[in-house]
Structure formats: structure tokens, C-alpha cells
């Protein structure tokens, strides 16, 4: 008897047109779901690369050269510009002024923002009107703000000196002194940004469970006690965020001291309120791009250090809340 040949497996059925259409729809669905997010964020990254990343890298390249518009050649000098910056007393004076103005504007601003947010977090009539009012200083032109406050802090006919004269105090030349000029500029910054930060803190406070406040009220806790024991611990990450963003903004102060000094890039005769941004602008105005780029990168490193402190504080705060 002969052996039977093994049977071949039946061929799989060919996909119908309906199945092919389903596969096409499924492929388009996957592309839409997975590719759309990248397409949506692509314009931001393109703009960031063109106007953010490229200038940053190009500035780093310029800082390594003796780069001025008065010369055709730009010789490579390595870290000589950074060495000159570290040894420049004007740079450290600008750094001190920046940190001083930043501290004088950030600390009171944070306290006022917390207090205003706490008041608006309570049941009030016309809450929307008060919240919109807090944003008015932020949307006001910085030029208008500085012009008005320059009149308030004027030496001869300033409103503040007139009020001080009522109490027998002498006239103060707010632009002449280091401390007085820092106070004047810090007041302008506080007036512009306190309401904005108060709204950020208010958004965080509204996420706090109302049951905690009701229980504290039943136990007889005052509003100040509720603020210290409930509100501030619950919104601590937001407070850290506001502190760091305000500090980073203070490191970049430019318009206020420039306009306060009547467009003087030196920040007064003795450079008493020249900030890092003004110092950079002064060197750019001298067409010394290599040195100005080195100063810019030093300021960038300061901001990176502050951002690192923010990360450490935020991580520790999250661990405490857990």
C-alpha cells in the first residue's frame, strides 16, 4: 500500500474590503492619537529653538571670543572673559544690588500676597471685583508705574517727602543712596506683582478642604491661627513656587532701575542701584559683546542655582506632606 501525502493547511481567507477599510481607519486613528500631541507642541519647540535655545548657545560661543563690532576679527580667548568678570568689582556691585533689591521686594511681597489671598478666600461680596482689581497693577505699563513712583519718591516735590516733612523729617534724596534707591525700586516691583502672586496663592487656598476651617472655627481658632496652622502648611508648595519665580524675576530687573535713573545704564553716579541686567546692557552698548555675553552666562548660572534650590525645597516639602 502506498503512503498518503500529508495534507496541506488551508490558505487563510483573504481580507475583505471591509477589513482593509477597518485597518486603514485604525492606522489613521493611531496616528491621530499618538501624533497629534507632538504636532500641537511642535510650534512652541520650534519657536523656543529659534528664539531661546539658539541665542543661548550662540551667546556661549560669543563669550569665548574677544567679540566687538569695532574689529573685523574675533579671536578666541577661552575663559578670559569669565575671569575678567569674576575680577570686576562692578560685576559684584551689580550682583549685590540685584540680590538686595530682590530680597527687599520678594519678602514683603510674599507676606502681602498671602494676607490678601487669605482675605479673598473668605466669603466676601463682589469677590470678582476685588480679584480683577488685584490684576490691575500687573497689566499697567511698567513705564507708567515707574514715572508715577518716580514722582512719589522725588527729592524736591515728591509726595513721600512731603508726608515725611509733616512729621518733622528732612527731605530724602531717594536716588542718591544705596538703601533708599533699593527701597524705592523694590516698592515699584511689589506694587506690580503682589496682586498677581496673591491670585496664584488664592487658587491654591481654594483647593484646601473647607471642613478643616469649619472644624477649626468650632474649636475656637482665630483667623490668624487658621492661617498659620491650616492655610500656610497646605499651600506650602505654591508658596515655594511663588518665592522662586519672584526671585528669578528679581534677578532680571531691568526696566525699573533704568527708568528710575532717567535712562542711566550705570544705575546712578556711584552705581548704587545698577542691576545685573543693566550691567549687561551697559557692556552691550559699548559693543563689547564677548564680555557682555560672559556676564549673561554668569547671571544664567545664578538662576540655575536658584532653580536647583527650588527643586530641593520642593522635594523636601513633598516628603513632609506625605
Amino acid at each position: 500500500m502506498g503512503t498518503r501525502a500529508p495534507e496541506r493547511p488551508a490558505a487563510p481567507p483573504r481580507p475583505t474590503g471591509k477589513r482593509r477599510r477597518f485597518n486603514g481607519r485604525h492606522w489613521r486613528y493611531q496616528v491621530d492619537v499618538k501624533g497629534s500631541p507632538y504636532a500641537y507642541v511642535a510650534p512652541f519647540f520650534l519657536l523656543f529653538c529659534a528664539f531661546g535655545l539658539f541665542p543661548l548657545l550662540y551667546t556661549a560661543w560669543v563669550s569665548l571670543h574677544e567679540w566687538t563690532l569695532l574689529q573685523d576679527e574675533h579671536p578666541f580667548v577661552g575663559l578670559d572673559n569669565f575671569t575678567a568678570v569674576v575680577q570686576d568689582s562692578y560685576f559684584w556691585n551689580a550682583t549685590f544690588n540685584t540680590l538686595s533689591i530682590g530680597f527687599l521686594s520678594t519678602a514683603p511681597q510674599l507676606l502681602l500676597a498671602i494676607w490678601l489671598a487669605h482675605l479673598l478666600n473668605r466669603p466676601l461680596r463682589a469677590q470678582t471685583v476685588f480679584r480683577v482689581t488685584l490684576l490691575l497693577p500687573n497689566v499697567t505699563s511698567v513705564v507708567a508705574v515707574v514715572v508715577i513712583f518716580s514722582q512719589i519718591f522725588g527729592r524736591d516735590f515728591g509726595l513721600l517727602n512731603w508726608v515725611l516733612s509733616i512729621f518733622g523729617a528732612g527731605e530724602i534724596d531717594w536716588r542718591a543712596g544705596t538703601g533708599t534707591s533699593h527701597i524705592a525700586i523694590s516698592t515699584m516691583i511689589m506694587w506690580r506683582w503682589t496682586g498677581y502672586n496673591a491670585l496664584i496663592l488664592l487658587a491654591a487656598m481654594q483647593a484646601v478642604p473647607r471642613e478643616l476651617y469649619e472644624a477649626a472655627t468650632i474649636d475656637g481658632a482665630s483667623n490668624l491661627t487658621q492661617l498659620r496652622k491650616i492655610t500656610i502648611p497646605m499651600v506650602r508648595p505654591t508658596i515655594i513656587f511663588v518665592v522662586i519665580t519672584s526671585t528669578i524675576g528679581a534677578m532680571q530687573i531691568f526696566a525699573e532701575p533704568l527708568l528710575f535713573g532717567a535712562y542711566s545704564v550705570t544705575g546712578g553716579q556711584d552705581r548704587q542701584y545698577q542691576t545685573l541686567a543693566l550691567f549687561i546692557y551697559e557692556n552691550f552698548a559699548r559693543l563689547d559683546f564677548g564680555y557682555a555675553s560672559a556676564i549673561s552666562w554668569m547671571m544664567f548660572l545664578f538662576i540655575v542655582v536658584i532653580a536647583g534650590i527650588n527643586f530641593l525645597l520642593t522635594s523636601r516639602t513633598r516628603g513632609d506632606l506625605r
Side-chain angles (χ1 to χ4, degrees):
M1 297 178 61
T3 59
R4 179 182 297 181
E7 298 182 356
R8 295 181 179 179
R14 298 181 61 184
T16 62
K18 183 177 180 180
R19 178 63 179 271
R20 286 196 297 267
R21 288 195 299 269
F22 175 77
N23 290 336
R25 292 177 182 177
H26 181 71
W27 179 80
R28 287 194 298 269
Y29 174 78
Q30 292 295 330
V31 171
D32 182 55
V33 171
K34 296 182 179 181
S36 295
Y38 297 98
Y40 295 149
V41 300
F44 165 77
F45 284 102
L46 291 176
L47 293 175
F48 172 75
C49 292
F51 300 101
L53 184 60
F54 172 74
L56 184 66
L57 298 178
Y58 188 72
T59 304
W61 172 255
V62 173
S63 66
L64 301 177
H65 295 74
E66 185 180 348
W67 198 297
T68 64
L69 293 184
L70 303 178
Q71 300 177 358
D72 296 333
E73 300 293 333
H74 309 300
F76 181 82
V77 295
L79 299 178
D80 290 351
N81 286 326
F82 292 92
T83 304
V85 169
V86 174
Q87 298 175 352
D88 192 348
S89 60
Y90 289 159
F91 168 76
W92 294 111
N93 174 72
T95 302
F96 167 77
N97 293 336
T98 303
L99 295 177
S100 175
I101 295 174
F103 176 78
L104 292 176
S105 61
T106 301
Q109 180 185 153
L110 176 64
L111 297 178
L112 288 174
I114 293 175
W115 179 66
L116 290 173
H118 180 67
L119 291 179
L120 292 178
N121 194 35
R122 302 176 60 188
L124 294 174
R125 293 182 179 179
Q127 286 186 347
T128 304
V129 176
F130 288 109
R131 294 172 184 176
V132 172
T133 305
L134 288 178
L135 276 179
L136 290 179
N138 184 249
V139 300
T140 305
S141 173
V142 63
V143 178
V145 173
V146 176
V147 168
I148 293 174
F149 275 90
S150 296
Q151 298 298 323
I152 295 175
F153 288 98
R155 181 189 62 182
D156 299 325
F157 305 102
L159 177 62
L160 189 56
N161 279 343
W162 176 75
V163 173
L164 293 177
S165 64
I166 297 178
F167 297 96
E171 294 182 350
I172 300 176
D173 190 354
W174 296 93
R175 290 183 175 87
T178 301
T180 55
S181 61
H182 290 187
I183 292 174
I185 297 174
S186 300
T187 305
M188 304 176 195
I189 300 172
M190 288 171 52
W191 189 83
R192 286 198 67 208
W193 295 102
T194 299
Y196 176 80
N197 291 327
L199 290 181
I200 295 178
L201 293 170
L202 176 61
M205 291 180 183
Q206 289 182 338
V208 179
R210 307 302 301 179
E211 293 79 6
L212 298 177
Y213 295 105
E214 295 174 358
T217 303
I218 295 175
D219 292 339
S222 62
N223 290 329
L224 182 60
T225 303
Q226 294 180 18
L227 176 63
R228 292 188 297 105
K229 300 296 185 179
I230 299 177
T231 305
I232 293 180
M234 294 298 292
V235 301
R236 191 183 306 172
T238 306
I239 293 176
I240 295 176
F241 170 78
V242 171
V243 170
I244 299 303
T245 54
S246 300
T247 305
I248 293 175
M251 293 292 295
Q252 302 173 347
I253 298 173
F254 176 75
E256 287 84 357
L258 178 65
L259 298 175
F260 184 68
Y263 296 95
S264 174
V265 296
T266 60
Q269 296 181 354
D270 297 329
R271 300 177 180 266
Q272 61 268 23
Y273 53 90
Q274 186 186 47
T275 60
L276 282 174
L278 271 182
F279 189 47
I280 294 171
Y281 181 73
E282 179 187 5
N283 285 276
F284 268 113
R286 294 177 178 176
L287 306 180
D288 193 354
F289 290 174
Y291 193 70
S293 298
I295 302 171
S296 301
W297 264 88
M298 291 295 293
M299 186 173 71
F300 174 74
L301 293 178
F302 291 159
I303 296 176
V304 169
V305 171
I306 294 175
I309 296 175
N310 176 28
F311 176 77
L312 294 177
L313 292 176
T314 305
S315 301
R316 180 176 300 179
T317 302
R318 290 176 180 174
D320 294 341
L321 293 177
R322 290 174 184 174

